[in-house]
Amino acid sequence: MSARNSLLAATLAAGLTGLPVAGALAQAAGPGEIVGVWETENRQLKLEMFDAGGTYAARVIYGARLMEADGQTFKKDAQNPDPALRDRSLQGIVFLSSLKWNAAEGRWDDGAVYDAQSGRTLSAQVTLVGGKMELRGYMGTPLLGQTVVLQRTR
């Protein structure tokens, strides 16, 4: 497994990887352009981006690292810092939230991404480049983060 795929699994409850994207490369014409279903090229992660009433969020549709050995059953949220949530399935959880459209930069900023493998929440931003979504998770500064690239499936 490549470093990109390995980190993808770790940070988005399946991970985040790649390089930062300059705001000048953003190609989004408006905030609703991220709404839809997206997946990684290797099909290890699939998510649905949606309008959450003034911000944008994403729920898990599929994550290879989120599945039990049978390949059919989603794992439990065992590392959640809230003990009451540790028995919930990772299927369909909203793991990305609070993304706000930043028209000046042509990207969505100030989001939060939940890493189910560690139970931590990281900062997140999203940029559209060449028709692909670059989802970046980071702690502190985006320069120290990781990016995963997804393509629209619908």
Side-chain angles (χ1 to χ4, degrees):
M1 172 181 283
S2 72
R4 168 172 278 165
N5 293 341
S6 196
L7 214 40
L8 173 67
T11 309
L12 287 180
L16 294 172
T17 64
L19 300 171
V21 176
L25 297 176
Q27 297 176 349
E33 285 196 45
I34 60 171
V35 172
V37 177
W38 300 81
E39 72 180 343
T40 56
E41 188 172 292
N42 64 9
R43 296 191 168 128
Q44 296 295 300
L45 176 67
K46 190 172 191 176
L47 57 91
E48 177 187 18
M49 295 290 300
F50 61 94
D51 184 331
T55 64
Y56 294 86
R59 69 179 51 90
V60 172
I61 294 174
Y62 173 81
R65 297 268 180 153
L66 303 177
M67 306 305 289
E68 295 289 353
D70 67 6
Q72 302 293 317
T73 308
F74 276 83
K75 292 180 180 178
K76 300 288 183 190
D77 195 4
Q79 300 302 314
N80 196 300
D82 181 348
L85 296 176
R86 292 182 184 155
D87 279 337
R88 76 175 175 170
S89 170
L90 292 173
Q91 182 176 12
I93 69 162
V94 175
F95 72 95
L96 178 61
S97 61
S98 304
L99 286 168
K100 297 177 189 113
W101 173 243
N102 179 337
E105 296 293 328
R107 68 176 180 233
W108 296 260
D109 290 323
D110 301 324
V113 62
Y114 173 64
D115 171 11
Q117 288 190 326
S118 70
R120 292 184 299 166
T121 299
L122 308 171
S123 297
Q125 69 182 34
V126 169
T127 308
L128 293 182
V129 177
K132 295 187 179 190
M133 177 175 23
E134 296 186 352
L135 170 57
R136 186 161 189 78
Y138 59 93
M139 293 183 80
T141 176
L143 293 173
L144 300 176
Q146 299 287 321
T147 300
V148 63
V149 177
L150 301 110
Q151 54 199 15
R152 185 183 299 276
T153 63
R154 55 184 155 115

